[in-house]
Amino acid sequence: MRLPIILLPLLLSACQTFHPSSQAAPASPPLSKFDIHAHPSVFSGSKLPNIDVIPPPEYRGPLAAYSIHTRYFDAGYNAVTTAATPGRYGAIVQLTTDTGQTITRFLTLFRTPLQVDWDGARMDLHAIFPTQLGISPDVSDRQRKDIGEFFKYTIQHAAQTFTNESNWQVAAMLAGLYEASHESGGGAASTKPYVAREGFAAVDQRWWFGLKQKTNTLGLPYQIYFPDDFQSDPTRPRPLLVFLHGSGEAGDGGPELAKLAKGGLPKLLAAHDGLPKDFPFIVLAPQLPPFENWSPYELVWLIDHLPADCPIACTRIYLTGLSLGGYGVWDTAIAFPNYFAAIAPIAGAGDPADVARIKDLPVWVFHGEKDHTIPVEEAHKMVDALEAIGAHPRLTVYPDAAHNSWNQAYRTPELYTWLLCHHR
């Protein structure tokens, strides 16, 4: 939890403008570092929540002038000014400086059917903790009431005061669970195996994809890298390699696109080092806004809407990514199993219960044996699940690598030869 000491949270309503003092201000931090969240994201009654804007802790001077504009929408994508019924809502928030720089945030909200008595509520939660903590499942089961109490107040606190990410995620969780509970038969026990593709996080991504389509707010900033011989034949369709970065490279485009070159494939492309001399791919490197996860639906939309001067061989579209991007590779391939010719997730994780959808998709997984951020067991789970249904994935585990296994993976010439062996 972040606790700003120098500056208290600045609460702004829609279209409110803050004017700086006459004192000269130091260079402002990027807008992407400003925490923008609903206060609260889970609410009761018809009044839609306000939006909090919290400057980053490192900022010491007066704020540059900026305005904030918020549009609210109900679950049916209708623009609203009040929350007439319980359920899911969304806020599209634009923060604009006096110099014209703008960022947009998409915040999920949830109106409860009744006012919640958090203090009087009792939650009984069975939790299985990571084995690395050394906590026995029997112990956590015996103390499930106390764990439930902790989780209850964590939900309440996150909805009210945590940062952007946890703030909207708790609303997305409750909205998704509420919708599933009110679908036909949603409250009844189901024998259908659960898969993450049908869980509240994926439901939230699909909902936002629809709203962004309606409001014309789709589109991620990106960089495109062309092969060295591109200008000699700029109309010839080329294989496309889509790269998904990790959480450290998130940003809002513009100057922040430079973050992409910090690691992974864009770093090698920018340095002209570590790749085969005849590297044939057009590389698309989109940038994810802070606090978000990769949306399969927005990624495929982006690829489908690349400009005409970027000629793509539609049967040779490949997907790779590292860390958070590794998660995105698995999720996107499973959501669109017939879209990509091959995938190469690195230091990520996916849903082994849903791999039947990609049984016939060529997969090469990379991971570090000493990865303590995303344990190598996650790679084995996915590979084992694929092999159990007759698929033939490849797995490379670097025995001395920690989380950063992508330096070795992207410097493997065979990876690119292997990708080109496959097409849809």
Side-chain angles (χ1 to χ4, degrees), residues 256-324:
E256 293 203 316
L257 279 173
K259 290 182 177 181
L260 295 175
K262 287 173 54 179
L265 193 53
K267 181 177 181 179
L268 300 184
L269 288 163
H272 300 284
D273 177 52
L275 297 174
K277 291 184 178 180
D278 57 348
F279 189 78
F281 301 91
I282 293 176
V283 175
L284 171 65
Q287 187 173 47
L288 191 66
F291 308 112
E292 292 192 17
N293 295 316
W294 291 106
S295 166
Y297 317 100
E298 292 193 51
L299 282 171
V300 169
W301 183 92
L302 177 64
I303 298 168
D304 287 343
H305 289 79
L306 287 175
D309 59 358
C310 185
I312 302 302
C314 295
T315 61
R316 293 180 177 272
I317 301 176
Y318 310 95
L319 183 62
T320 186
L322 58 89
S323 192
L324 180 65

Side-chain angles (χ1 to χ4, degrees), residues 133-150:
L133 290 174
I135 297 173
S136 166
D138 292 336
V139 171
S140 61
D141 186 56
R142 287 198 300 272
Q143 299 189 34
R144 59 184 180 271
K145 291 184 179 180
D146 289 343
I147 294 172
E149 283 290 289
F150 176 82

Side-chain angles (χ1 to χ4, degrees), residues 9 100 104 134 161 186 190 221 233 243 247-248 257 260 292 303 330 357 384 386 414 424:
T104 304
T161 58
S190 174
D233 191 0
F243 168 80
S247 58
L257 279 173
L260 295 175
E292 292 192 17
I303 298 168
W330 286 116
R357 291 173 59 86
D384 291 348
L386 283 165
E414 186 186 356
R424 284 192 296 116

Side-chain angles (χ1 to χ4, degrees), residues 191-424:
T191 58
K192 184 180 179 181
Y194 168 81
V195 292
R197 178 171 42 88
E198 298 172 355
F200 64 81
V203 168
D204 191 66
Q205 287 182 333
R206 288 194 292 270
W207 185 84
W208 274 108
F209 178 70
L211 180 57
K212 290 177 183 180
Q213 281 185 304
K214 181 176 180 179
T215 56
N216 197 30
T217 50
L218 274 171
L220 297 169
Y222 60 84
Q223 285 189 338
I224 291 184
Y225 303 84
F226 294 95
D228 290 339
D229 66 346
F230 180 77
Q231 292 302 325
S232 64
D233 191 0
T235 62
R236 175 165 61 90
R238 309 297 182 107
L240 176 69
L241 181 54
V242 182
F243 168 80
L244 307 184
H245 64 72
S247 58
E249 291 73 56
D252 288 288
E256 293 203 316
L257 279 173
K259 290 182 177 181
L260 295 175
K262 287 173 54 179
L265 193 53
K267 181 177 181 179
L268 300 184
L269 288 163
H272 300 284
D273 177 52
L275 297 174
K277 291 184 178 180
D278 57 348
F279 189 78
F281 301 91
I282 293 176
V283 175
L284 171 65
Q287 187 173 47
L288 191 66
F291 308 112
E292 292 192 17
N293 295 316
W294 291 106
S295 166
Y297 317 100
E298 292 193 51
L299 282 171
V300 169
W301 183 92
L302 177 64
I303 298 168
D304 287 343
H305 289 79
L306 287 175
D309 59 358
C310 185
I312 302 302
C314 295
T315 61
R316 293 180 177 272
I317 301 176
Y318 310 95
L319 183 62
T320 186
L322 58 89
S323 192
L324 180 65
Y327 281 84
V329 171
W330 286 116
D331 291 347
T332 305
I334 289 173
F336 294 91
N338 301 313
Y339 192 88
F340 299 97
I343 63 171
I346 303 173
D351 183 6
D354 211 12
V355 296
R357 291 173 59 86
I358 56 171
K359 176 182 177 182
D360 298 321
L361 178 66
V363 175
W364 191 346
V365 183
F366 296 84
H367 220 104
E369 182 71 40
K370 298 179 180 178
D371 191 337
H372 298 298
T373 304
I374 303 173
V376 70
E377 286 79 14
E378 297 296 336
H380 288 294
K381 287 177 185 177
M382 297 300 288
V383 169
D384 291 348
L386 283 165
E387 290 178 341
I389 59 173
H392 302 284
R394 297 184 64 170
L395 172 63
T396 296
V397 175
Y398 298 109
D400 297 322
H403 190 46
N404 184 355
S405 53
W406 47 87
N407 276 351
Q408 292 170 270
Y410 287 130
R411 291 176 179 272
T412 303
E414 186 186 356
L415 168 62
Y416 309 106
T417 304
W418 175 84
L419 288 172
L420 291 172
C421 288
H422 303 289
H423 60 85
R424 284 192 296 116

